[in-house]
């Protein structure tokens, strides 16, 4: 009997606790819905330190706290879809125009209604319906060992498939969004057959099976594993400004080529941000988008991440400015998503791990 009373008491206590917890959930949720909390939940697939530094500056100025939820872009979109109206996501941040377009198509975003964002970001780097805006651009270029390569042999992405580069080409795996979008751009520009020929040619010229990220390819050039690599511009900037002396020394030995200047132009991609469809803290989220695309936020981004800013009023390191003005591929970066499946198949057939 005593035992039963005790158990009954315990059950009552637990259910009171559960009810209290649920009420406080609902209260919290209501508060969020009302936008009273000084918080923004950022679902981000970007993995750069600089983002957190910019978020901290935003918090310092506005008192709005930023809570980052990290994952791959696919995971985050899937979670936002699954959680629907219950989602705590205010913003979705990712690299890659195709991914941003995918987020829009998945129905997890809503249009960003902000005159400031329209002023800050040229239309070419924004979704035409306003579902996302670019925050930076980056180009995928060729780098080479200055001591053993004549840059004239490196005029284009296609040149890398020639006999001259047998066993000399370094590049990361095909699971990288950067490579997937690059190949997708070739499918868009030249058709599937030419794109497949390119991938096969690169695989034939691999210095080693793909491993590591873009920076690791530079380290491999320094170690003479290969002579040329395909990589994103900002990683070169990061290495040239690194406190790590080995990275710095490796980067100093590199020459840079913006390929295809006489033909189809260099591949450029973006990083961007979208407003979640059910953003519980919409007003605060809009403030953050405006800060990130504004001249000061953009200057911080360019100075610390070495990506190109999208806001023409932003400042940037002189050498980064000197890289501007190259000829870009005439492709709609958001539209590249339509070629992703084909790109994956081509990589697989070509044996590009
Ligand atoms: Fe990156």
């Amino acid at each position: 009997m005593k035992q039963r009373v005790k158990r009954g008491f315990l059950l009552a206590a637990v259910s009171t606790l559960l009810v209290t917890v649920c009420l406080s959930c609902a209260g919290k949720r209501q508060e969020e819905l009302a936008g009273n909390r000084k918080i923004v939940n950022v679902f981000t697939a970007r993995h750069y330190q600089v983002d957190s530094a910019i978020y901290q500056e935003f918090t310092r100025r506005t008192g709005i706290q930023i809570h980052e939820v990290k994952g791959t872009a696919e995971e985050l979109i899937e979670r936002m879809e699954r959680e629907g109206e219950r989602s705590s996501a205010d913003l979705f941040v990712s690299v890659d125009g195709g991914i941003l377009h995918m987020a829009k198509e998945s129905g997890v975003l809503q249009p960003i209604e902000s005159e400031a964002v329209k002023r800050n970001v040229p239309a070419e780097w924004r979704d035409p319906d306003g579902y996302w805006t670019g925050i930076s651009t980056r180009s995928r270029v060729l780098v080479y060992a200055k001591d053993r390569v004549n840059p004239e042999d490196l005029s284009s992405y296609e040149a890398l498939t020639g006999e001259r580069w047998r066993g000399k080409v370094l590049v990361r795996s095909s699971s990288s969004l950067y490579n997937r979008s690059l190949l997708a751009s070739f499918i868009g520009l030249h058709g599937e057959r030419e794109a497949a020929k390119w991938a096969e040619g690169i695989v034939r010229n691999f210095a080693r099976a793909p491993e590591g990220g873009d920076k690791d390819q530079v380290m491999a050039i320094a170690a003479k594993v290969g002579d040329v690599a395909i990589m994103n511009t900002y990683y070169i900037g990061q290495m040239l400004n690194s406190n790590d002396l080995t990275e710095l020394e490796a980067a100093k030995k590199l020459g840079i080529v913006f390929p295809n200047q006489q033909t189809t132009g260099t591949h450029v991609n973006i990083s961007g941000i979208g407003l979640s469809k059910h953003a519980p803290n919409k007003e605060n989220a809009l403030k953050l988008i405006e800060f990130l695309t504004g001249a000061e936020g953009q200057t911080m981004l360019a100075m610390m991440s070495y990506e190109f800013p999208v806001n023409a009023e932003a400042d940037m390191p002189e050498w980064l400015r000197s890289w501007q003005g190259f000829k870009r591929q005439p492709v709609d970066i958001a539209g590249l998503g339509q070629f992703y499946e084909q790109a994956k198949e081509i990589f697989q057939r070509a044996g590009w791990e």
Side-chain angles (χ1 to χ4, degrees):
M1 180 69 180
K2 215 174 174 185
Q3 201 65 8
R4 204 176 295 160
V5 169
K6 214 174 179 181
R7 201 187 301 156
F9 176 75
L10 206 67
L11 275 176
V14 168
S15 31
T16 312
L17 193 71
L18 282 176
V19 169
T20 317
V21 168
C22 286
L23 281 178
S24 84
C25 290
K28 204 167 168 189
R29 176 72 189 156
Q30 262 164 7
E31 236 182 327
E32 281 172 356
L33 285 174
N36 288 335
R37 295 179 76 217
K38 296 204 100 183
I39 186 173
V40 180
N41 297 313
V42 180
F43 278 37
T44 178
R46 267 170 64 100
H47 52 271
Y48 312 126
Q49 210 70 53
V50 50
D51 293 16
S52 306
I54 299 177
Y55 296 157
Q56 275 167 22
E57 177 58 19
F58 174 76
T59 301
R60 198 184 64 78
R61 290 178 184 211
T62 60
I64 299 168
Q65 299 289 331
I66 303 212
H67 177 224
E68 285 184 78
V69 175
K70 295 190 177 179
T72 68
E74 280 93 346
E75 279 165 11
L76 296 172
I77 293 173
E78 192 273 328
R79 180 170 162 190
M80 288 163 79
E81 267 183 306
R82 182 163 33 87
E83 295 180 343
E85 282 181 38
R86 289 179 294 113
S87 173
S88 61
D90 291 304
L91 295 170
F92 171 72
V93 178
S94 184
V95 298
D96 198 89
I99 291 287
L100 291 162
H101 184 69
M102 193 191 293
K104 174 190 178 187
E105 294 291 291
S106 306
V108 298
L109 302 180
Q110 63 172 305
I112 299 163
E113 277 158 21
S114 161
E115 287 309 312
V117 171
K118 283 185 191 157
R119 275 195 310 274
N120 290 341
V121 185
E124 63 176 325
W125 303 124
R126 282 187 275 118
D127 174 52
D129 304 316
Y131 281 77
W132 51 261
T133 175
I135 53 172
S136 67
T137 72
R138 58 271 295 281
S139 30
R140 201 142 180 78
V141 296
L142 309 182
V143 293
Y144 59 91
K146 273 195 284 198
D147 61 346
R148 46 190 196 273
V149 168
N150 176 358
E152 281 170 20
D153 295 340
L154 275 178
S155 57
S156 65
Y157 296 109
E158 292 79 14
L160 278 187
T161 63
E163 190 83 36
R164 157 81 177 83
W165 303 107
R166 198 59 47 91
K168 305 284 186 205
V169 177
L170 290 153
V171 62
R172 70 200 290 173
S173 81
S174 64
S175 61
S176 146
L177 282 177
Y178 308 148
N179 286 338
R180 194 165 78 182
S181 277
L182 179 65
L183 186 61
S185 77
F186 297 155
I187 300 173
L189 286 166
H190 315 297
E192 187 170 350
R193 187 181 299 185
E194 285 301 309
K197 256 170 56 186
W198 181 79
E200 286 157 16
I202 295 293
V203 171
R204 206 163 41 234
N205 288 349
F206 274 170
R208 64 172 180 192
E211 62 174 72
D214 282 1
K215 285 183 185 177
D216 296 303
Q217 314 314 318
V218 176
M219 300 313 290
I221 289 181
K224 299 198 171 155
V225 176
D227 287 349
V228 290
I230 305 173
M231 73 183 293
N232 284 357
T233 38
Y234 55 93
Y235 288 117
I236 307 166
Q238 287 174 18
M239 294 180 91
L240 284 171
N241 291 277
S242 177
N243 293 323
D244 179 333
L245 284 184
T246 350
E247 271 193 3
L248 178 65
E249 287 308 315
K252 276 188 186 166
K253 291 179 188 148
L254 292 182
I256 302 163
V257 168
F258 284 75
N260 298 66
Q261 292 303 289
Q262 309 305 322
T263 58
T264 43
T266 299
H267 178 68
V268 172
N269 208 327
I270 59 172
S271 275
I273 189 162
L275 179 61
S276 165
K277 185 170 185 181
H278 304 290
N281 308 288
K282 185 173 165 177
E283 291 313 310
N284 295 340
L286 281 169
K287 279 184 198 156
L288 180 56
I289 300 178
E290 289 172 358
F291 178 71
L292 283 174
T293 56
E296 283 178 279
Q298 285 279 294
T299 298
M300 283 184 78
L301 194 68
M303 291 292 185
M304 292 194 283
S305 82
Y306 310 113
E307 292 167 277
F308 295 108
V310 289
N311 184 328
E313 277 167 26
D315 208 354
M316 67 187 101
E318 224 21 74
W319 53 267
L320 187 57
R321 196 180 296 280
S322 75
W323 284 355
Q324 281 188 315
F326 59 89
K327 179 178 173 183
R328 295 198 311 251
Q329 281 178 336
V331 298
D332 163 27
I333 202 70
L336 288 183
Q338 65 181 301
F339 303 121
Y340 284 172
E341 280 311 309
Q342 272 168 285
K344 273 191 208 169
E345 282 165 26
I346 290 175
F347 278 133
Q348 212 168 13
R349 281 202 305 272
W352 187 326
E353 290 165 35

